[in-house]
Amino acid sequence: MSYFSQLAQRRHSIRKYSTEEIDPDLLTDIVECALQAPTSRNSQSVRLIVVDDPETIRSLSGIREHGSAFVAGASVVIAVCADTTVTRRPLADTAIAASYLQLAATSNNLASCWCHVEDTPGAVDETAQETVHKLLDLPESYLCHCLIALGIPEDADQLEPVERTLPWEHVYVGRYSTEESEQ
């Protein structure tokens, strides 16, 4: 099995973190990996806002009515944004960067979890997007696709590979077919 296949088996959403701080060198490595992600037309539209202030992290954990509370336990939260003035594909650009970021975190034995922001209702009278813009002083042209919560896993076993049943029936060779595909 390839290194990348092993890494993919280890990467899954982990929402419980220890109180231990992330080594700054590891964080730099993770951010560098995310910055190497390809973007549409090489626009380099991705903007990463690295948040390590506990109070701001707590505020970010309340951006949604449901599904963002786990963010409060993270050591670092990275807002994955795109400058929409330089790309026509902000969601593609940010999704790729966020994936690179999470795989780099796993490679460095860190836990991570995606918290969706784009087009998500907020916990109060505004969208999650509007709340993130206010909390992080984002320019109007920035679209925040997601927050990636990072931390040392509460339990080291959380990074063990997970056997998954892969949906091979969703793979078609040559063209789509309603016939059952063969592996």
Side-chain angles (χ1 to χ4, degrees):
M1 181 181 294
S2 73
Y3 171 77
F4 189 80
S5 292
Q6 292 172 356
L7 184 61
Q9 280 190 340
R10 291 182 57 221
R11 212 268 4 121
H12 50 276
S13 296
I14 299 173
R15 295 174 181 83
K16 294 187 178 180
Y17 315 100
S18 79
T19 56
E20 194 177 338
E21 295 296 316
I22 295 174
D23 181 298
D25 291 334
L26 291 182
L27 188 57
T28 298
D29 181 65
I30 291 165
V31 169
E32 282 181 8
C33 287
L35 291 173
Q36 291 184 50
T39 55
S40 174
R41 296 182 173 213
N42 197 28
S43 64
Q44 299 185 9
S45 66
V46 173
R47 307 294 186 261
L48 303 173
I49 293 79
V50 180
V51 180
D52 61 359
D53 173 61
E55 188 57 40
T56 306
I57 290 172
R58 270 191 295 283
S59 295
L60 288 169
S61 74
I63 64 166
R64 296 170 41 168
E65 189 174 351
H66 304 287
S68 61
F70 72 90
V71 170
S75 299
V76 172
V77 174
I78 300 179
V80 183
C81 306
D83 182 346
T84 61
T85 66
V86 298
T87 184
R88 291 179 20 213
R89 305 280 186 265
L91 295 178
D93 293 351
T94 52
I96 297 167
S99 295
Y100 272 49
L101 195 153
Q102 288 193 279
L103 288 166
T106 301
S107 179
N108 282 293
N109 295 316
L110 295 176
S112 70
C113 191
W114 173 303
C115 177
H116 200 78
V117 175
E118 181 264 341
D119 81 357
T120 301
V124 289
D125 293 333
E126 59 189 7
T127 66
Q129 184 78 228
E130 291 165 333
T131 305
V132 169
H133 268 75
K134 287 178 185 174
L135 290 171
L136 302 180
D137 297 321
L138 298 180
E140 191 176 315
S141 65
Y142 281 25
L143 177 126
C144 183
H145 191 171
C146 63
L147 304 176
I148 302 295
L150 296 171
I152 309 293
E154 186 177 76
D155 176 2
D157 290 343
Q158 291 175 298
L159 286 174
E160 289 299 314
V162 174
E163 284 288 327
R164 296 179 178 100
T165 302
L166 300 177
W168 283 102
E169 66 276 8
H170 299 172
V171 177
Y172 306 92
V173 178
R175 68 179 66 177
Y176 175 78
S177 171
T178 56
E179 300 294 316
E180 199 166 311
S181 65
E182 296 179 27
Q183 295 184 28

